[in-house]
Amino acid sequence: MKIRKNALAGIALAATATLGLAACGAGAATAPSSSAAAGGAVSGEITVYNAQHESLTKEWVDAFTAETGIKVTMRQGSDTEMSNQIIQEGQASPADVFLTENSPAMAQVENAGLFADVDKATVDQVPAEFRPSTNKWTGIAARSTVLVYDKAKLSEGQLPKSMLDLANPEWKGKWAASPSGADFQAIVASLLELKGEAATEAWLQGMKENFKAYKGNSTAMKAVNAGEVDAALIYHYYYYGDQAKTGENSKNVTPYYFKNQDPGAFVSVSGGGVLNSSKNAAAAQAFVKFITGKKGQEVLQKGTSFEYAIASGVPANEKLVPLAELQAPTVDPAKLNSAKVTELMTKAGLL
Ligand SMILES: [Fe+2]
């Protein structure tokens, strides 16, 4: 994933493409597709195995059903619960579409040979840096790693230059994370891809010494807010989501972005793909096309998920730091290895 140097160029291109379609009088959502997904050919029902946040996918589903009349049944689980279930069910899986929070579970299903190719019309509306080169699945949204910290306890000068510093002795007892979650494990998968196994093992050992475990990113952020720990390594949208509500779990918290291509500046790609066992592939492809299309991406821009829009030229929610400013490292989402991460984290006593 050639994140972010090319991100702006890609978004600009996608925007031009969308404008081009609109100028033809077709509009992006009804533009002809390369598959049977076009026009009135699509109908019926699909089942989505959803590991994305339920509220976000519900917004996509409602908008998709309103537009197409296709009924969508959602089954909810975590990234690896759902990927393991799909692999276990194989060709008999009732799933037509799989959506995740992070890339490793998508790579797992891809490696099991269970995804169909994503329709070209969908691929064309997602910049290359937000999808695997195989096009067996596509990015649908993105999220940034962030260190949320308590300003009363840490001055800017005391903040770590790199996520790797959190393994140093001066950070003992001072930071929180949710190691059992797919979000955190994606950060570790990126570290593994960027720095290799030995460096990842060493960092995880330091983490075990230094950090306090919480279940869930929200809980880790709450712990910072309540003064239990100085900082927490989470994803950005937990902070912005709380701020947009009452702010009661984040009023003492400030987000800090590592930038500088640091492993802690990792931007994780949420994935969407169509199972090759789908009994209604046209409708399944149409759904993935819809969520990466203008209307689907505007749900990210204007809704309450605070995840990044990445496709169809739709800009990020204006409250967020633009993706292009995050200086994320270049990571190929297809290479994130969840099995190795689980092994290393178990070995370090984190799982
Ligand atoms: Fe999450």
Side-chain angles (χ1 to χ4, degrees):
M1 181 165 64
K2 284 156 204 105
I3 279 200
R4 287 351 74 161
K5 262 188 230 148
N6 303 331
L8 272 183
I11 287 164
L13 273 176
T16 312
T18 307
L19 284 173
L21 287 174
C24 300
T30 52
S33 135
S34 61
S35 82
V42 194
S43 60
E45 299 181 14
I46 54 169
T47 296
V48 174
Y49 277 22
N50 182 51
Q52 242 296 355
H53 288 245
E54 194 169 4
S55 52
L56 170 58
T57 301
K58 184 82 174 50
E59 279 189 85
W60 277 327
V61 162
D62 289 347
F64 176 71
T65 303
E67 180 162 300
T68 62
I70 294 166
K71 189 177 164 240
V72 179
T73 303
M74 275 168 68
R75 291 202 191 168
Q76 190 66 29
S78 72
D79 280 7
T80 43
E81 270 167 22
M82 288 275 144
S83 58
N84 287 332
Q85 190 175 336
I86 287 169
I87 288 166
Q88 204 167 45
E89 290 167 346
Q91 293 302 312
S93 178
D96 297 289
V97 172
F98 182 34
L99 302 183
T100 62
E101 277 207 78
N102 300 286
S103 308
M106 298 305 290
Q108 200 192 343
V109 173
E110 177 178 355
N111 292 336
L114 296 173
F115 277 135
D117 290 339
V118 174
D119 268 8
K120 188 170 181 307
T122 302
V123 169
D124 287 350
Q125 60 192 7
V126 181
E129 57 267 39
F130 298 114
R131 52 179 163 81
S133 54
T134 56
N135 293 328
K136 285 290 181 185
W137 55 275
T138 179
I140 56 173
R143 48 267 298 288
S144 176
T145 311
V146 71
L147 188 75
V148 289
Y149 71 100
D150 181 346
K151 253 191 177 161
K153 293 204 176 151
L154 295 173
S155 66
E156 274 182 45
Q158 289 171 303
L159 292 170
K161 291 266 176 303
S162 166
M163 181 184 93
L164 300 178
D165 296 347
L166 294 172
N168 296 342
E170 68 266 25
W171 283 93
K172 191 168 174 69
K174 290 192 173 163
W175 64 283
S178 174
S180 60
D183 288 351
F184 188 81
Q185 289 174 21
I187 298 172
V188 179
S190 151
L191 175 63
L192 177 63
E193 177 61 16
L194 289 165
K195 300 286 179 190
E197 190 170 333
T200 303
E201 254 191 300
W203 189 76
L204 291 173
Q205 272 163 22
M207 172 180 173
K208 172 74 178 164
E209 283 296 308
N210 290 352
F211 96 123
K212 290 188 185 169
Y214 290 86
K215 190 155 174 49
N217 283 329
S218 302
T219 321
M221 182 175 74
K222 271 188 210 171
V224 179
N225 194 55
E228 289 171 32
V229 276
D230 295 4
L233 194 62
I234 60 173
Y235 280 157
H236 77 281
Y237 54 84
Y238 290 94
Y239 170 78
Y240 294 94
D242 189 70
Q243 286 284 301
K245 284 188 244 162
T246 61
E248 64 178 326
N249 297 317
S250 60
K251 59 182 185 296
N252 304 320
V253 163
T254 305
Y256 166 66
Y257 294 92
F258 287 98
K259 300 192 173 177
N260 201 29
Q261 284 77 45
D262 190 77
F266 170 58
V267 169
S268 181
V269 173
S270 298
V274 173
L275 280 305
N276 59 18
S277 56
S278 170
K279 306 227 170 16
N280 194 352
Q285 291 284 359
F287 181 66
V288 177
K289 185 179 171 209
F290 179 85
I291 61 179
T292 52
K294 192 161 178 291
K295 285 185 188 168
Q297 294 293 294
E298 280 174 356
V299 167
L300 296 165
Q301 182 196 10
K302 297 171 184 166
T304 54
S305 72
F306 291 97
E307 297 199 36
Y308 283 98
I310 54 160
S312 293
V314 176
N317 185 306
E318 61 184 18
K319 295 226 165 69
L320 303 179
V321 181
L323 269 178
E325 288 175 24
L326 295 179
Q327 300 172 10
T330 300
V331 180
D332 182 346
K335 293 208 174 123
L336 298 181
N337 184 338
S338 53
K340 191 77 194 171
V341 165
T342 309
E343 181 195 317
L344 293 177
M345 289 182 71
T346 305
K347 198 170 156 194
L350 292 163
L351 294 178

